[in-house]
Amino acid sequence: MLFFTQCFGAVLDLIHLRFQHYKAKRVFSAAGQLVCVVNPTHSLKYAPTRCAAVQASTEQGILPPCHHHEAVHDPQLVPCTCPLFSCPWEGHLEVVVSHLRQTHRISILQGAEIVFLATDMHLPAPTDWIIMHSCLGHQFLLVLRKQEKHEGHPQFFATMMLIGTPTQANNFTYRLELNRNQRRLKWEATPRSILECVDSVISDGDCLVLNTSLAQLFSDNGSLAIGIAITTSKVHSSEAEM
């Protein structure tokens, strides 16, 4: 009986997930957009990340101490950019995507315009919804995070990071759009480089920020659909034409 109950519960979860995916595809198929259903993950990353620590030291003009018995750190190596875990991995920027896919199992979706469907928005903070987006010859990391900046008042933060350098990031513009019940909310900005750290972007508030009430206005049965579009910036386009 216990085995039957567990199996039945698993089947119901699968049916619920497929129903959400079908409903999203039905809503956005007219626009020709790809839909990706993203399940939440509780963040296990409580300690300050290495990149955040280095960034803070640099801003204060303090360089990390160098001891004679330590190997010289390769400045071209970057720490793991996954916002979910305190991962000790380091590697070159060119292999970050492979690390995120193989080690942290982050999905990647291709297309100029996609729909990011985050499920189970009611889960307590801290919770993250993450996906990689490949378009225009580059890879981007979309992070939706539920976090409490003030105790008892969770907020949702959504940002797009380019897995590349800040110079490359300046060549693009991303747009996040919420659209439901005759309401529309858009956020448009230049993506930040993954080298700048997701935690810093969220702390600075340089992203789409939703309080719980606003998120509920755009959610449907506990799921939030975010339309994503990435284009080359006007400055970059004009330079290309010249």
Side-chain angles (χ1 to χ4, degrees):
M1 191 67 181
L2 178 61
F3 175 78
F4 174 77
T5 303
Q6 291 176 339
C7 290
F8 185 69
V11 170
L12 285 180
D13 291 339
L14 180 60
I15 293 174
H16 176 66
L17 181 61
R18 290 182 64 86
F19 175 71
Q20 287 181 319
H21 186 81
Y22 166 76
K23 195 164 56 170
K25 290 186 69 175
R26 184 185 60 186
V27 172
F28 296 102
S29 59
Q33 295 172 303
L34 297 175
V35 179
C36 183
V37 178
V38 184
N39 294 319
T41 304
H42 283 288
S43 178
L44 302 177
K45 192 175 187 178
Y46 297 103
T49 61
R50 181 186 175 280
C51 62
V54 171
Q55 184 178 13
S57 299
T58 304
E59 291 175 352
Q60 298 172 6
I62 303 173
L63 295 177
C66 180
H67 303 287
H68 67 276
H69 61 275
E70 292 182 348
V72 177
H73 183 264
D74 186 348
Q76 294 183 340
L77 295 180
V78 298
C80 175
T81 55
C82 181
L84 298 176
F85 308 99
S86 294
C87 177
W89 179 88
E90 287 185 327
H92 291 276
L93 192 58
E94 294 79 9
V95 295
V96 168
V97 173
S98 299
H99 171 72
L100 293 176
R101 295 192 68 180
Q102 297 173 8
T103 303
H104 300 296
R105 306 298 181 185
I106 297 179
S107 301
I108 186 168
L109 198 64
Q110 298 184 1
E113 295 187 7
I114 65 173
V115 175
F116 178 95
L117 185 65
T119 65
D120 301 319
M121 302 292 294
H122 62 279
L123 291 178
T127 303
D128 290 87
W129 295 259
I130 299 176
I131 193 175
M132 284 191 289
H133 182 191
S134 177
C135 72
L136 301 176
H138 289 77
Q139 285 74 42
F140 301 81
L141 185 69
L142 176 67
V143 178
L144 173 64
R145 174 172 299 175
K146 186 177 184 180
Q147 178 176 306
E148 290 187 359
K149 279 197 171 183
H150 305 286
E151 187 175 356
H153 298 281
Q155 292 177 297
F156 293 89
F157 304 86
T159 186
M160 181 75 76
M161 312 284 289
L162 172 72
I163 303 179
T165 65
T167 301
Q168 291 174 319
N170 288 333
N171 294 327
F172 299 96
T173 299
Y174 76 95
R175 185 180 73 248
L176 305 179
E177 181 176 334
L178 305 177
N179 188 0
R180 185 173 181 270
N181 291 337
Q182 299 181 346
R183 299 181 179 91
R184 179 170 298 186
L185 179 63
K186 290 184 180 181
W187 167 269
E188 187 171 297
T190 298
R192 301 277 285 271
S193 167
I194 201 70
L195 300 178
E196 300 180 60
C197 297
V198 175
D199 296 339
S200 299
V201 175
I202 291 178
S203 297
D204 295 342
D206 186 17
C207 55
L208 174 64
V209 182
L210 305 172
N211 59 29
T212 304
S213 299
L214 192 57
Q216 289 176 348
L217 283 177
F218 289 98
S219 65
D220 182 16
N221 292 326
S223 298
L224 186 67
I226 304 177
I228 306 169
I230 300 176
T231 57
T232 55
S233 64
K234 295 180 180 179
V235 174
H236 179 66
S237 299
S238 62
E239 290 177 352
E241 291 174 0
M242 293 176 63

